[in-house]
Amino acid sequence: MNARKLKAWRAQHAPMLEAASEAVRTRRPYSPFSDELADYDRAQVEQGESRFRRLLDAPLHTTPQVSTEPDQRWAGSERSPYGFDLGIRYRVEDFSQLASRAEVAKRKWQQLNIELRCALLCEVIARLQDDTFLFAQVGMHTSGHGLFMGFHANAVHAQARALESVAHVLAVAREMSCQFEAPMMERQGSCQRLSRQFATMPVGLSLVYAGQVVPTWGAYPGLFASLAAGCPVVVIGHDQAVLPMALTVKVLKAACAQVGVPHDIVNLFHSNDPAAYRQAALHPDVRLIDYMGGAEFGSWLRQHAWQARVMTQQSAQTPVFLHSTSDYDGMLENLAFGLCSFSAQLCTSPQTLYVLPEGIRVVDGVVSVAQFERDLVERVEQVLARFPCARELLGALVAPQSLAEIRACESARFARVLRHAETVHDPDYPHACIVTPSLIAVREGFASSVEHYGREIRGPVSFLVQPPDLRALLAELRTIGQHHGALGLGLYTVDAGVEHAMRQVSQEMGALLSINFCKNFYISQCAVFTDIHGGGTGAAANVTYGAPDYYHARLRMTEQRKLL
């Protein structure tokens, strides 16, 4: 093992890790890398695209030593949401063999002290930052991002999320580790001295299932937290978003190989048999499972993978209550952009807008529900008009059935359509499904339709609902949180009583409450190092990114005593 190189990395990345550790301690926002495109050279953007193109229609090797075994099997079926096959193939291996190799690699990995493990992972994060615009392109063509969205969600913000996990695990390990000597008096005997040593050990093999919408942002917290804790990791990418996780595993393996750490500490598991992904979760060596994705598979994992600690964040929607505001124009701007951005495919995008029948109180009176409907539609049109290239704002739909689902909502009995979703032709990507927002008012008398609009509908559709009063609204929000899932909750009000009531219900739901977000800080945004993600309650999540338990779960405490 190249201890000199590891120590050099520790010294090189110490300022970044110290800043991250301080941010973790204080919960203050911290951005290790700029998220402004203007701060990067245009040539980097172009190189990212050319590097992505070179990956197409070829096998992708994640290991540093490319083997050419004659019986190797390869598979891959990714298709860009912008309308072409990637043609990238990944090695198919037996999961039991990966688990066995991981167990061997773990013995050497956990022998590294936590400081050196974190140094190696910081080096990996720095290399991922060098690959930012490759990952931005990959985000476009596996997750339907626009370039700016890919730059943020699949690159710099995901890298920050990785560093956040490393800093958290380092803090937990330091907290749980100590060594001291102390006197011990046994009845009337003589005083003796006892040494005690408390240390941490990894809990075991970690399995990380990545989603499609924000694969790196969603998977990096579990991946880097487990590795920092000393756990070996097997990564399973979404079948349409394998590439971002394969590239991440490749960077991790290359750094490990460079310093003599067994690169089997992390592996990619890919199969052409979907049942193999369920069987992997049931392997007796798997002790941790991180999952971000749809509710069906998340529920299956929690019901069947009893040998592992299963941590899921799954289907959710974000309701918004518009009660009153001192900045009506800023509120409109914020909502309209949120409804358009990335075609509202994030679980934190505003989906259900609640307005009481008496309308929205503003500085100089009241805006009626009918007026608000007209104003919101007009503002959506204005936001769309600012982007000559619609895909930069809207991205492309990742789920082929999304448009059909939106059309079904528009034609439902409860729907009064304020704005129909429209497909947009992109000359650069003529086969992409790019869709503008659909705005639907729920007709009075269709209270049972909460079964339709209360669930997550991935795509640009939102519902305007008029509950009869505040009490009915709060009851419906509790139902959505418990049975359908909500990770976020928006509120616009200048009334302290309304704010207090919504604070209470958001805590019960385990939803991140965003109050009076106007202009250009959006309800869907989650600032790394300060905001949590997932409330650990209700249908949406049983774990919280950024909460202590998320990191403690990967370590166990050990004690050794010696009579001196």
Side-chain angles (χ1 to χ4, degrees):
M1 187 178 298
N2 192 338
R4 179 179 296 179
K5 188 65 176 178
L6 281 167
K7 290 176 181 177
W9 284 347
R10 181 173 63 183
Q12 177 184 350
H13 301 300
M16 180 175 71
L17 185 56
E18 288 170 7
S21 297
E22 179 64 12
V24 160
R25 187 185 69 82
T26 61
R27 296 215 67 88
R28 295 190 177 276
Y30 170 56
S31 299
F33 311 112
S34 173
D35 61 4
E36 295 293 332
L37 270 174
D39 293 335
Y40 295 82
D41 193 313
R42 183 66 193 174
Q44 293 177 276
V45 181
E46 296 169 357
Q47 289 167 6
E49 183 173 7
S50 62
R51 290 180 63 191
F52 167 72
R53 295 291 173 183
R54 288 197 296 270
L55 294 173
L56 302 179
D57 301 311
L60 192 148
H61 298 270
T62 59
T63 55
Q65 298 86 23
V66 176
S67 60
T68 55
E69 299 171 17
D71 59 344
Q72 278 186 6
R73 291 182 296 140
W74 299 82
S77 59
E78 290 162 294
R79 181 173 175 82
S80 169
Y82 289 97
F84 60 91
D85 293 327
L86 301 192
I88 300 174
R89 302 181 300 282
Y90 307 94
R91 187 175 178 184
V92 176
E93 297 185 81
D94 181 75
F95 184 83
S96 294
Q97 293 181 6
L98 294 182
S100 297
R101 282 156 40 193
E103 179 62 29
V104 174
K106 182 185 74 171
R107 297 167 194 164
K108 196 167 184 180
W109 179 241
Q110 69 186 26
Q111 288 172 6
L112 279 180
N113 67 51
I114 183 72
E115 307 281 346
L116 293 181
R117 287 202 299 266
C118 290
L120 187 151
L121 294 175
C122 285
E123 171 64 18
V124 169
I125 293 167
R127 294 183 185 190
L128 291 172
Q129 161 65 193
D130 291 340
D131 290 340
T132 284
F133 291 100
L134 169 59
F135 276 84
Q137 289 288 329
V138 169
M140 287 182 63
H141 295 292
T142 57
S143 304
H145 300 163
L147 179 63
F148 193 65
M149 177 75 177
F151 165 64
H152 276 171
N154 209 45
V156 292
H157 291 170
Q159 295 153 16
R161 199 96 262 189
L163 180 61
E164 176 190 43
S165 279
V166 172
H168 267 292
V169 172
L170 179 60
V172 169
R174 286 171 172 170
E175 171 193 327
M176 295 171 67
S177 303
C178 64
Q179 184 174 357
F180 61 87
E181 296 178 8
M184 182 186 72
M185 182 70 71
E186 185 67 29
R187 291 192 175 92
Q188 302 301 318
S190 59
C191 180
Q192 300 183 73
R193 295 190 66 78
L194 197 68
S195 73
R196 282 187 168 89
Q197 180 175 339
F198 298 89
T200 60
M201 289 289 287
V203 300
L205 180 61
S206 177
L207 188 58
V208 176
Y209 289 89
Q212 182 179 12
V213 176
V214 282
T216 55
W217 193 97
Y220 278 9
L223 170 61
F224 281 83
S226 286
L227 288 173
C231 302
V233 180
V234 175
V235 179
I236 298 177
H238 187 280
D239 62 354
Q240 292 300 306
V242 184
L243 182 56
M245 302 317 302
L247 291 172
T248 302
V249 169
K250 184 174 183 176
V251 174
L252 278 159
K253 282 178 169 290
C256 288
Q258 188 175 344
V259 291
V261 171
H263 61 76
D264 279 324
I265 197 65
V266 60
N267 273 300
L268 176 76
F269 178 56
H270 185 66
S271 177
N272 49 11
D273 178 11
Y277 299 138
R278 296 196 178 215
Q279 288 301 314
L282 304 180
H283 192 282
D285 287 352
V286 174
R287 290 289 178 266
L288 283 164
I289 296 176
D290 287 281
Y291 171 77
M292 178 179 276
E296 180 183 358
F297 187 57
S299 298
W300 184 90
L301 287 170
R302 292 203 300 269
Q303 292 168 15
H304 293 87
W306 285 98
Q307 86 291 352
R309 169 75 184 272
V310 180
M311 295 176 279
T312 65
Q313 294 204 20
Q314 52 196 45
S315 301
Q317 64 123 316
T318 296
V320 183
F321 176 31
L322 303 117
H323 173 265
S324 53
T325 180
S326 59
D327 185 1
Y328 182 71
D329 185 75
M331 180 190 76
L332 281 176
E333 179 68 21
N334 196 279
L335 286 172
F337 190 88
L339 297 175
C340 295
S341 179
F342 188 38
S343 295
Q345 293 178 99
L346 297 174
C347 59
T348 51
S349 301
Q351 178 175 297
T352 311
L353 309 180
Y354 290 95
V355 183
L356 297 180
E358 55 264 32
I360 302 169
R361 284 166 38 199
V362 294
V363 174
D364 53 355
V366 175
V367 175
S368 68
V369 177
Q371 183 62 52
F372 169 70
E373 291 174 352
R374 292 192 293 270
D375 291 343
L376 183 59
V377 170
E378 181 181 355
R379 186 57 60 93
V380 167
E381 300 293 354
Q382 292 173 4
V383 170
L384 291 170
R386 293 178 204 152
F387 289 80
C389 181
R391 73 169 181 271
E392 292 301 326
L393 172 64
L394 299 171
L397 293 185
V398 295
Q401 70 273 20
S402 290
L403 184 56
E405 192 171 13
I406 292 169
R407 295 298 185 218
C409 289
E410 291 178 339
S411 61
R413 291 182 60 206
F414 68 79
R416 177 168 58 86
V417 180
L418 307 176
R419 186 187 190 283
H420 284 277
E422 301 168 340
T423 56
V424 178
H425 176 73
D426 189 318
D428 295 328
Y429 299 102
H431 301 294
C433 186
I434 300 173
V435 179
T436 64
S438 171
L439 302 178
I440 297 172
V442 176
R443 297 180 187 276
E444 292 184 29
F446 284 86
S448 62
S449 57
V450 68
E451 296 299 321
H452 298 280
Y453 64 74
R455 62 190 173 87
E456 178 186 18
I457 301 176
R458 189 174 296 173
V461 59
S462 58
F463 304 91
L464 183 66
V465 184
Q466 293 185 59
D469 52 38
L470 181 60
R471 184 185 298 272
L473 164 65
L474 298 179
E476 182 161 305
L477 290 177
R478 290 186 177 98
T479 298
I480 288 173
Q482 189 64 33
H483 299 290
H484 300 285
L487 291 174
L489 184 61
L491 171 64
Y492 291 90
T493 189
V494 295
D495 186 303
V498 171
E499 180 177 327
H500 176 75
M502 289 292 284
R503 285 183 182 273
Q504 290 291 109
V505 78
S506 73
Q507 290 177 330
E508 294 173 25
M509 294 167 64
L512 172 63
L513 178 63
S514 303
I515 304 171
N516 296 334
F517 276 30
C518 293
K519 298 294 192 300
N520 59 352
F521 194 86
Y522 305 103
I523 290 170
S524 60
Q525 288 180 278
C526 189
V528 185
F529 286 96
T530 184
D531 291 329
I532 64 171
H533 190 266
T537 61
N542 70 352
V543 70
T544 303
Y545 289 180
D549 184 56
Y550 185 74
Y551 308 101
H552 278 275
R554 299 163 205 281
L555 294 163
R556 58 184 177 86
M557 179 181 280
T558 66
E559 180 185 2
Q560 297 175 352
R561 303 182 297 178
K562 182 178 181 179
L563 194 63
L564 302 177

